[in-house]
Amino acid sequence: MYKQLIRPLLFKFDPEEVHSFTNSAVKSAFHLPLAKSITKSLFQVKDPRLERKVFGLTFPNPVGLAAGFDKDAKMIDEFSELGFGFIEIGTLTPKAQEGNPKPRLFRLPQDGAIINRMGFNNHGVDAAVERLKTRKSNIIIGGNIGKNKVTPNEQALQDYLYCFDALYDVVDYFVVNVSSPNTPDLRALQEKEPLLDLLANLQNRNQGKAKPKPLLLKIAPDLNHAQLDDIVEIAVQTNLAGIIATNTTISRAGLRTSSQQIEAMGMGGLSGRPLRDASTQVLKYLRQNLPEEIRLVGVGGIMTPEDALEKLAAGADLVQLYTGFIYEGPSLIKHINKRILS
């Protein structure tokens, strides 16, 4: 019903407005009698064979919601009923920020893709913390953290430390985001020296806690092998728990959408089906070169259960959905979990 009826209707409207509208509609719908039980029966797959022990955490299933969809932790309880094994919030920054000027979110239906240049729009980490304190669901939560746009790279560490300290008591793992293409100069933090300094300092803060939490790094799909080798070295040196591969791409290669339309959309990160192969290749390379104890999360272009299985076969311990969730609807979570069991 989603692809035949709901999606065509939603796709007639502005993507960002639709995102806000559907979230509000879902939240309202969950106040109706039997809404939760009906949702569970439609979408949840519970089976002990789906459990994954990763980063010292027990995930009820390996299919998660990627960062960017519920930036401000407003929909944790609702999304937890759709069958996700975990939810990643953010990217969060110390101060609230509006992000880039609108329009900044574009659909490419011919390609099963999205271009976004949101720019870390969020209400600030402290507001998210207050919401997480009142959540009813016990689903595993990852905290994806970044820096404010106005913060120069030389002072970025303080932004990341602020977010880390604020979220520490209300999330289960952390993700350091230095790979978004939509914050000026952010990707420069992926270079070897600044990245090593950033992660080493965050890990020092983490290890100073009574119970350190898993610290992960999210990387771009546009890195070459030499850059990936640096990532491997840094991950080992800073004792990372894992790497998320990958964020969106700045490439526009091989798209069916016309070049005129692409140019009109402008800059931004591309996600969805065209990203699948590139992200999988990064995943494979990392798995071949990383120690086994550093775990991997595969994200990018998962539009079908077969795409998810491909990521798992390439070395991912967990997978995450974003664009596939938009194009295929919540049934994709169920179909992936059932396919894993088959």
Side-chain angles (χ1 to χ4, degrees), residues 40-48 50 60-61 82-83 333-338 341:
K40 286 180 180 179
S41 66
L42 287 174
F43 300 117
Q44 290 190 12
V45 180
K46 293 191 175 182
D47 191 303
L50 291 171
N61 71 67
L82 296 178
I333 311 156
K334 176 181 69 176
H335 293 325
I336 291 172
N337 281 321
K338 285 193 169 184
L341 291 172

Side-chain angles (χ1 to χ4, degrees), residues 34-245:
L34 302 178
K36 287 185 179 180
S37 58
I38 292 172
T39 302
K40 286 180 180 179
S41 66
L42 287 174
F43 300 117
Q44 290 190 12
V45 180
K46 293 191 175 182
D47 191 303
R49 291 174 295 169
L50 291 171
E51 285 188 0
R52 299 291 186 273
K53 295 188 184 300
V54 187
F55 320 131
L57 302 170
T58 300
F59 295 78
N61 71 67
V63 185
L65 181 64
F69 210 95
D70 189 17
K71 290 175 182 283
D72 290 299
K74 293 180 176 181
M75 299 288 294
I76 298 295
D77 292 331
E78 290 78 13
F79 285 145
S80 70
E81 301 292 346
L82 296 178
F84 285 113
F86 61 108
I87 294 171
E88 195 170 304
I89 62 167
T91 297
L92 292 165
T93 56
K95 298 177 182 177
Q97 59 182 27
E98 293 184 1
N100 292 320
K102 298 178 182 180
R104 55 193 181 181
L105 187 63
F106 308 90
R107 305 184 193 96
L108 288 71
Q110 288 178 275
D111 294 288
I114 286 173
I115 289 175
N116 94 82
R117 53 172 176 272
M118 303 300 288
F120 288 175
N121 59 308
N122 72 106
H123 295 160
V125 68
D126 294 319
V129 168
E130 292 307 308
R131 293 189 189 95
L132 288 169
K133 286 178 179 178
T134 62
R135 70 182 176 108
K136 297 178 177 62
S137 166
N138 62 355
I139 193 169
I140 290 175
I141 301 292
N144 189 301
I145 58 177
K147 77 173 188 73
N148 281 113
K149 182 178 181 179
V150 298
T151 303
N153 282 0
E154 297 75 25
Q155 299 171 24
L157 173 61
Q158 299 310 312
D159 278 16
Y160 285 92
L161 287 172
Y162 185 95
C163 292
F164 179 87
D165 288 336
L167 285 167
Y168 180 80
D169 290 329
V170 292
V171 301
D172 300 289
Y173 70 88
F174 285 93
V175 180
V176 180
N177 187 355
V178 292
S179 54
S180 169
N182 301 317
T183 294
D185 300 323
L186 182 74
R187 284 191 170 190
L189 293 175
Q190 285 186 127
E191 296 300 322
K192 189 173 184 179
E193 293 306 319
L195 183 58
L196 178 60
D197 181 70
L198 175 63
L199 292 176
N201 278 282
L202 278 167
Q203 193 66 283
N204 285 340
R205 181 67 61 91
N206 189 29
Q207 295 303 318
K209 302 285 188 181
K211 293 182 179 180
K213 296 196 172 176
L215 185 66
L216 285 71
L217 172 67
K218 188 167 188 176
I219 65 171
D222 309 305
L223 302 177
N224 59 39
H225 283 184
Q227 291 171 312
L228 290 173
D229 289 339
D230 287 342
I231 296 292
V232 168
E233 183 181 337
I234 291 168
V236 172
Q237 193 169 339
T238 58
N239 197 29
L240 289 185
I243 294 175
I244 297 183

